[in-house]
Amino acid sequence: MREHGVLTFHDPTREETVTTSIPQVDSNAGSHGPEPDALTEAEAVEQADHFTRLSTEIGSAVLGKSDVVRLALVALMCEGHILLEDVPGVGKTTLARAIAAATDGSWRRIQFTPDLLPSDVTGVPVFNQDTREFTFHPGPVFSNVVIADEINRASPKTQAALLEVMEERQVTVDGERHVVPRPFLVVATQNPVEMDGTYRLPEAQLDRFLLRLSLGYPGPEAELAIMRGRRLTATDELKPVIDAAQLAGMSDAAERVHIHGAIYDYVLSLAHATRDHDEIQVGVSPRATVAIIRALRMFALSEGRHYSTPEDVKALAMPVWAHRLVLAPGSAISGRSPADVMRDILDHVPTPQPARIGDG
Amino acid sequence: MTRILVVVALIGVAAAPGLALAPAYVEPNLVRGLLSGWAVAAVLITGLLHRRFTASAALIVGLVPAFAGVAALVAAFSGPEPRLLYGTLDAVVHSGARILTSSLPTAVAADTLALPALAVWLSGAAATLAVRSGYPLSGALCPLLALIGAAVLNGPELSPAYFPTALFALGAVLLLAASTRTDQLPGPGSVQATPIGAGTQTGRTGRFARSLPRALSLGCVLALVASLTTYIGPLALYGSPIRPADLRAEVTPPEEDTAGASPLSYLPAWAAEPGRRLMTVTAEEPTELRWVTLSDFDGVTWLPESRFRASSEVLPAPEREVPSGPDREVTIEVGELPGHWLPVVGVPRHVSGTAVAYEPASATLRTGTGHAEGTEYTVTGQVPEYKEEALKKAEEPDKEEFERYLQLPEDPPPQIEEIAAAVSDGTPYERANRLAAHLRSNYGFDPDSPGGHGYANLADFLVSPGTKGGGGTSGQFASAFALLARASGLPSRVVVGFGPGTDEGGQTHTIRTGDAVAWGEVYLEGVGWAPFDVTPGEPKQNGASQEPEGGSGSEGASSTWGVQRPEEDTGIFRSTGAYLDVAYAWAMVGRAAAGLATALVAGTLLVGVLRGTRRWLRLRAKDPRQRILGAWRELYDGLRLAGTAPRPSDTVSEVLVRSDGLLPTADGRPRPWTLGRTMNAMAFMGDGSAGVSAHSAQLAADEVQTYTAALRSRLSRPRRLLWWLDPRPLFWSRP
């Protein structure tokens, strides 16, 4: 087991005992107090450098998708889970594995099938002949990055088991709590095309994903490069470019990113717009507004800024919020997707005008 | 601020009808002031009442001050009924009738002001209540109706009310603009467009400041349209048979009982007793006076006019043509003159000193009430001068038009036909002259004759041509002349008047019964009513003053009854007959157009200067922050001018992407905008004091300057010129 400053990464694949102690990062974060000092520009640039190194490393494995990679990294830094929704073969799993590899963390992949049981995900207690006691045998969720492939193929019971871990960050078996390692990131993938024999994720559970991303097809240049066999770096060959201390430093720095009052107002009026919109049955929840603010801080940091802008809000509103909207029956039938409605809202709610704020 | 604007607009709208009606009165400015005061009071008092009462209750309670106002009018300008209570009732009840039966211009009196004042009050009150209840359009409706009423009441005699109409249009526009709810900005679908908390910060002043330019520009456009239609619209009517109806012409004044009151019947008695003083006249020179004109003969007597219209000091223009001549002014102190008629000089145009009624067809004046005796007044009239050539050239007028003056009752004495037949050839003037000569030369003046001028008397009086008749008084001769003229096809009437009287020194003349005289008048086409002296005998003998004489040869047409078109008496009346003076109207249009063009050029130059100055101030600001903001606003204006205004939902980078899309660079890459970084940093960095370097401010200003220049150069030539002269950017809200 390697020690990296304040954070311990566990790798169950190396047959190490799973610790149930609470990682130090939590106590560390708490020591900062409610009013962290404002981030300076220099610090922001320094943190952005980590981002750049990470995304360059991952970019060598996932070609031409730097914006999606950046968003995925933002989710990782915020410890928010990602729902990757796309057709097969565009590199969903590759992206997930690359993230895990580049951050020097452990990763496990679970292929969801209809006969997958909850205990296959969380782990089971096993009778130890030597000690004559039941020992908890941790499941695949006990790793830093969990790739839940085709999550909608499993039964709702199994889905619920995973989603519970995502929220609680712990597994309770036989009254014993088993805490999953930190950072903990679930990357669930979903195939929107083949819907036969699948179980749609309930809306309440979609709310637990910080981001829903879609990779999309690679650009023509990237696809040509892939075809020519100029093979990308295999995910196994990726070198960890950032250690746990640096990760902790980043989330610490993100806490200190300045968010102007006008930005809060803007997010609030966007949220109200989703709640009052005719085509939306259920707008975004307060959890969603908190989530977007969390993502905003990290997103600004990823660009080397120590303040966030309305552009950040616009960039994040779609991946953070679109999957949480429940359309009114009428508009769902007429073929409008939540993303369309979200785009509509973004196009109509006035942004904070920088000239007015800067003037006054 | 908006509230004050609404009140001002309401007052303007409510005052317009009063202003339009005012020129119909003798003292337009006084009436303008009075009715405007009523409008102001109506708007303010109704507004105050509406705070306490519901709209309908406020309207009814408001009637109390309105009637109090009428009572005040009665106290200030008492009409025929001086007692306050009865006077108020009389004014309210009879106002409409009094206005319609008095000739233009109307006298300023309580009873002629009550109706307009109440109409102004009610329309103003209704407008106020409607606007306060949120119906500005209905608010403008009531004063509009009152304005139309004023225009109808004024009729064709007065020039169109341009200014009040324009004032009304302006007020209505202001009313609508100020009442527009500016906070109801069009929102997309049901999306709530206002950022939470941002709306309250701008507050009322912000909303007003934003709506003012819009209201102003709207107002300018509508005022332009309104004034153009007001001024040019009447031109379209010119040449068409459409002419505004005269409401007064539709109203028949009450008929007075004229039985037994023919002034002709006084003449025999007066001739017998010529020394009684009738009146004292003060005039610069000896002047003949007209008293009563008699146009209708019923076989027994000549009847005076029975329908008079109450008139102010300025008398209406004569209906028929009158030859030109000088104005004379005389002051008359009436002694024991019977009847209610007042002697006048020539064709009277102005009378002061007493209330009068007037009958324009016969130019007869009477006192407003009661008897002429004891009245003292000053009358100005035009004395026509007749020219021999014009008289000789005169033709017979249209018989149908003058039917009234050609009527002969049945069974006239046979001598009339006989004498008329003897003069049936020649021009009308010659025929009338021959008739007059016949009477003057074949009869004698007899002050002691029994009088009477009916058919029965004339049958005894008249003799066949060629024989000498007996004697009679001027009444008989005038009556005989008029009937003979009618028999020979000439429109005629009888006039009773007075000679200049006895000079008492100091321009004073005493007129006695012996000065009374009657004569006949014949209408000659192209001249007008021409008087013919038909009484024979020496004036000395009968005491009558020197009757106007044309000499027995070229007799007739006394040379002094001159009337011609009155000079521009008050300027109010257009006596040319045409409804509209087209040359004047076109001159006005031309002047207005020239003024507009000048204003346009000056305004355009001003816009250019203002915009240039603003641009210079924006891009050369000393403070780097201000310079960057200035550059941003210039870019915004440029995009708007190019027709692609950024949406309120656009962020800085989206605006810049839009700019790049509008004007792509040569290599298709986005421009490296300094603005994109600096704008957001300035606004959202938190520590507002964070300096922006002067260098980056310079960069931002330069790139905007380059960009807008490139954007402008891509436009067509006229639009490129307009780029700097377009006034809209001055009114656009700052981004």
Side-chain angles (χ1 to χ4, degrees), chain B residues 470-639:
Chain B
T473 56
S474 63
Q476 280 163 323
F477 287 108
S479 171
F481 173 75
L483 292 175
L484 286 169
R486 287 188 180 188
S488 66
L490 298 171
S492 63
R493 61 188 190 185
V494 170
V495 181
V496 182
F498 303 95
T502 321
D503 194 346
E504 306 282 344
Q507 302 185 340
T508 313
H509 304 263
T510 301
I511 293 181
R512 300 194 161 77
T513 44
D515 292 317
V517 67
W519 66 87
E521 281 190 341
V522 170
Y523 191 84
L524 299 173
E525 190 68 45
V527 174
W529 285 104
F532 288 84
D533 174 26
V534 290
T535 311
E538 309 93 78
K540 290 270 162 41
Q541 188 193 337
N542 58 33
S545 319
Q546 198 71 33
E547 251 311 285
E549 259 180 76
S552 53
S554 65
E555 55 273 278
S558 43
S559 57
T560 43
W561 287 126
V563 185
Q564 147 224 14
R565 195 138 299 279
E567 295 168 32
E568 326 264 304
D569 23 283
T570 52
I572 297 169
F573 295 94
R574 292 274 168 78
S575 40
T576 53
Y579 171 51
L580 190 69
D581 185 348
V582 178
Y584 174 77
W586 279 119
M588 284 302 292
V589 170
R591 232 179 292 168
L596 270 180
T598 317
L600 200 67
V601 170
T604 312
L605 288 179
L606 183 69
V607 166
V609 169
L610 282 179
R611 286 199 46 207
T613 314
R614 190 173 70 169
R615 183 182 170 86
W616 192 86
L617 286 176
R618 278 176 172 178
L619 296 181
R620 298 280 176 279
K622 284 249 161 48
D623 180 13
R625 290 173 61 87
Q626 287 305 322
R627 191 183 288 193
I628 284 179
L629 284 178
W632 175 248
R633 288 178 177 138
E634 274 301 306
L635 177 69
Y636 231 78
D637 283 355
L639 290 176

Side-chain angles (χ1 to χ4, degrees), chain B residues 602-734:
Chain B
T604 312
L605 288 179
L606 183 69
V607 166
V609 169
L610 282 179
R611 286 199 46 207
T613 314
R614 190 173 70 169
R615 183 182 170 86
W616 192 86
L617 286 176
R618 278 176 172 178
L619 296 181
R620 298 280 176 279
K622 284 249 161 48
D623 180 13
R625 290 173 61 87
Q626 287 305 322
R627 191 183 288 193
I628 284 179
L629 284 178
W632 175 248
R633 288 178 177 138
E634 274 301 306
L635 177 69
Y636 231 78
D637 283 355
L639 290 176
R640 278 176 151 187
L641 275 173
T644 48
R647 292 175 305 181
S649 65
D650 280 351
T651 58
V652 173
S653 20
E654 279 167 325
V655 171
L656 296 177
V657 166
R658 196 179 287 273
S659 316
D660 284 332
L662 193 65
L663 188 69
T665 49
D667 54 1
R669 292 223 198 106
R671 290 180 178 75
W673 291 98
T674 317
L675 268 182
R677 290 190 301 277
T678 48
M679 280 303 292
N680 272 336
M682 270 168 52
F684 303 111
M685 203 149 61
D687 40 355
S689 59
V692 179
S693 71
H695 176 66
S696 58
Q698 185 56 47
L699 272 181
D702 285 349
E703 69 195 13
V704 167
Q705 211 158 8
T706 319
Y707 177 80
T708 47
L711 198 61
R712 180 173 161 263
S713 67
R714 287 203 332 157
L715 298 173
S716 61
R717 188 178 288 270
R719 287 194 64 192
R720 233 182 293 167
L721 188 69
L722 265 181
W723 183 275
W724 293 122
L725 303 178
D726 196 331
R728 288 175 300 161
L730 296 175
F731 298 107
W732 283 335
S733 61
R734 293 195 305 176

Side-chain angles (χ1 to χ4, degrees), chain B residues 140-180:
Chain B
L141 190 65
C142 287
L144 178 65
L145 289 176
L147 188 66
I148 292 171
V152 170
L153 207 56
N154 281 353
E157 298 293 326
L158 301 175
S159 54
Y162 293 133
F163 169 71
T165 313
L167 177 72
F168 174 83
L170 196 66
V173 165
L174 270 182
L175 208 57
L176 291 179
S179 312
T180 313

Side-chain angles (χ1 to χ4, degrees), chain A residues 335-359:
Chain A
R336 297 259 286 171
S337 71
D340 294 334
V341 180
M342 194 66 226
R343 195 167 296 118
D344 192 39
I345 291 171
L346 287 175
D347 281 348
H348 282 116
V349 175
T351 53
Q353 288 298 310
R356 296 231 176 97
I357 296 164
D359 209 9

Side-chain angles (χ1 to χ4, degrees), chain A residues 317-344:
Chain A
M318 198 68 85
V320 178
W321 279 0
H323 62 283
R324 301 173 202 244
L325 299 177
V326 181
L327 288 192
S331 15
I333 290 167
S334 67
R336 297 259 286 171
S337 71
D340 294 334
V341 180
M342 194 66 226
R343 195 167 296 118
D344 192 39

Side-chain angles (χ1 to χ4, degrees), chain B residues 50-71:
Chain B
H50 191 224
R51 293 192 178 175
R52 200 159 276 258
F53 300 102
T54 61
S56 40
L59 195 65
I60 291 169
V61 174
L63 287 179
V64 175
F67 278 97
V70 176

